[in-house]
Amino acid sequence: MTDTLSSAPVDRDGLPEVIRRYLTVHNAGDASASAALMTPNAQVTDDGKTYDGLPAIEQWLNRAASEYTYTTTYVGAAEVAPDRWTVTQRLDGNFPGNTIELRYDFTLEDGLIRRLVIAP
């Protein structure tokens, strides 16, 4: 993936609406609202595992929402290409290590999220 430091920084209000909505509903633990922002053939990669299609993504979202309690802090974002955005958030919670900074690499298609890769 392209390094976000090579792109112009973007504040949260400068993100595409679908990404802003995703961050809001995902951080609230709303799996069905998060999945509704994705294409039918979406793909998510998180923690080294890839989830293909909405049923698998909804299962991942439900598990992720119930596994740990955490808060998120928006750190920054960058536009990588017209359809690709990278968002960095800090998570503080009851998971191993208690704090981590994660990068969310979004690929958009037709106003929805086609691909999301989450990695440290």
Side-chain angles (χ1 to χ4, degrees), residues 1-16 18-20 22-23 73-90 101-108 113 115-120:
M1 294 275 159
T2 304
D3 184 58
T4 59
L5 298 176
S6 64
S7 303
V10 176
D11 66 18
R12 195 176 192 285
D13 292 337
L15 292 169
V18 69
I19 294 175
R20 288 193 319 267
Y22 176 83
L23 294 173
T73 304
Y74 178 86
V75 174
E79 180 178 11
V80 178
D83 64 340
R84 290 197 48 226
W85 295 77
T86 297
V87 175
T88 303
Q89 294 196 110
R90 188 181 76 232
E101 212 166 87
L102 293 177
R103 196 168 93 177
Y104 297 71
D105 291 315
F106 292 91
T107 302
L108 306 181
I113 300 164
R115 180 156 169 67
L116 172 59
V117 177
I118 303 170

Side-chain angles (χ1 to χ4, degrees), residues 57-79:
I57 291 170
E58 283 192 65
Q59 286 180 345
W60 162 75
L61 287 163
N62 281 317
R63 182 188 51 78
S66 65
E67 195 168 11
Y68 298 110
T69 302
Y70 58 89
T71 59
T72 59
T73 304
Y74 178 86
V75 174
E79 180 178 11

Side-chain angles (χ1 to χ4, degrees), residues 44-51 60 63 67-68 100 102 117-120:
V44 173
T45 300
D46 180 35
D47 203 22
K49 296 180 178 113
T50 299
Y51 307 90
W60 162 75
R63 182 188 51 78
E67 195 168 11
Y68 298 110
I100 190 169
L102 293 177
V117 177
I118 303 170

